[in-house]
């Protein structure tokens, strides 16, 4: 399971742990309270408590803020970072639909571009999910976009284009 560890301003001694859904993925979140002017040693101990709580809840990989300085404390508890590229690829369709929702663009009126250096299982899965939901899907993969677009056209009969045709996507 994926864990999310966040350092929060506030009072309290223990991390607040809760299970939640993140774009359709079940995860466990630990909010570790760090009051202002707390010493470095106490901060590390609190982070370690949060790491232990995530590990006990079943997390093995953790998402944190980009510049998170306490990875040593997380690794002591068997937690490793989430590979962000693979994570984003696996959630590409959900991320695209969430961004359309945030911008208040109905998917049936939206143009979405999927791009990558090569066709991967994650890209194909995202294309299969998005194709029936969006107005226009563009596949931008050097040398392979045409093949994927053709396959999606045959499979779904949807408006799918290969990259480089000058179309502008919403996401």
């Amino acid at each position: 399971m994926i864990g999310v560890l966040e350092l929060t301003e506030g009072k309290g001694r223990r991390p607040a742990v809760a299970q939640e859904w993140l774009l359709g993925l079940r995860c466990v979140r630990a909010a570790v309270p760090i009051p202002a002017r707390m010493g470095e040693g106490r901060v590390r101990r609190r982070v370690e408590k949060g790491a232990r709580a995530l590990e006990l809840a079943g997390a093995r990989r953790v998402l944190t803020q980009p510049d998170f300085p306490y990875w040593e404390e997380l690794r002591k508890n068997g937690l490793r970072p989430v590979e962000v590229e693979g994570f984003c690829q696996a959630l590409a369709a959900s991320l695209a639909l969430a961004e359309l929702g945030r911008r208040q663009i109905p998917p049936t009126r939206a143009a979405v571009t999927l791009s990558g250096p090569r066709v991967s299982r994650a890209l194909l899965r995202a294309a299969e999910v998005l194709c029936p939901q969006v107005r226009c899907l563009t596949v931008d993969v050097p040398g392979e976009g045409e093949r994927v677009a053709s396959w999606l056209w045959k499979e779904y009969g949807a408006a799918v284009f290969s990259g480089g045709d000058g179309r502008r996507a919403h996401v």
Side-chain angles (χ1 to χ4, degrees):
M1 182 184 327
I2 300 291
V4 177
L5 189 128
E6 63 180 336
L7 304 180
T8 61
E9 291 183 24
K11 297 181 179 170
R13 294 176 176 241
R14 297 174 190 233
V17 179
Q19 291 204 10
E20 60 182 42
W21 290 90
L22 179 66
L23 296 173
L25 180 70
R26 192 177 73 135
C27 65
V28 62
R29 177 181 299 273
V32 179
I34 308 292
R37 298 187 303 267
M38 179 179 268
E40 186 68 20
R42 289 181 65 202
V43 171
R44 288 183 183 280
R45 284 190 295 278
R46 290 224 178 152
V47 169
E48 197 161 335
K49 281 182 184 179
R52 225 172 301 137
L54 287 175
E55 192 267 333
L56 288 172
R60 298 294 172 258
R61 295 193 175 268
V62 179
L63 284 170
T64 63
Q65 61 204 45
D67 56 346
F68 188 74
Y70 304 108
W71 276 105
E72 186 178 317
E73 284 72 19
L74 298 184
R75 286 191 180 96
K76 285 180 191 175
N77 288 281
L79 301 173
R80 298 178 303 174
V82 170
E83 301 297 330
V84 178
E85 182 178 351
F87 183 70
C88 289
Q89 288 175 354
L91 292 175
S94 296
L95 289 169
L97 293 171
E99 179 62 15
L100 290 172
R102 189 185 71 75
R103 293 184 187 182
Q104 299 179 343
I105 301 170
T108 55
R109 294 179 169 259
V112 175
T113 296
L114 294 173
S115 65
R118 67 189 185 307
V119 174
S120 66
R121 186 175 295 148
L123 187 134
L124 289 175
R125 199 170 345 161
E128 286 180 313
V129 169
L130 290 170
C131 204
Q133 295 186 53
V134 299
R135 179 181 52 85
C136 178
L137 180 68
T138 303
V139 180
D140 184 13
V141 179
E144 299 182 73
E146 295 279 340
R147 186 171 55 91
V148 174
S150 174
W151 175 74
L152 288 167
W153 173 258
K154 289 175 190 171
E155 194 71 25
Y156 295 99
V160 180
F161 301 93
S162 62
D165 61 359
R167 296 181 188 275
R168 179 131 169 97
H170 294 102
V171 175

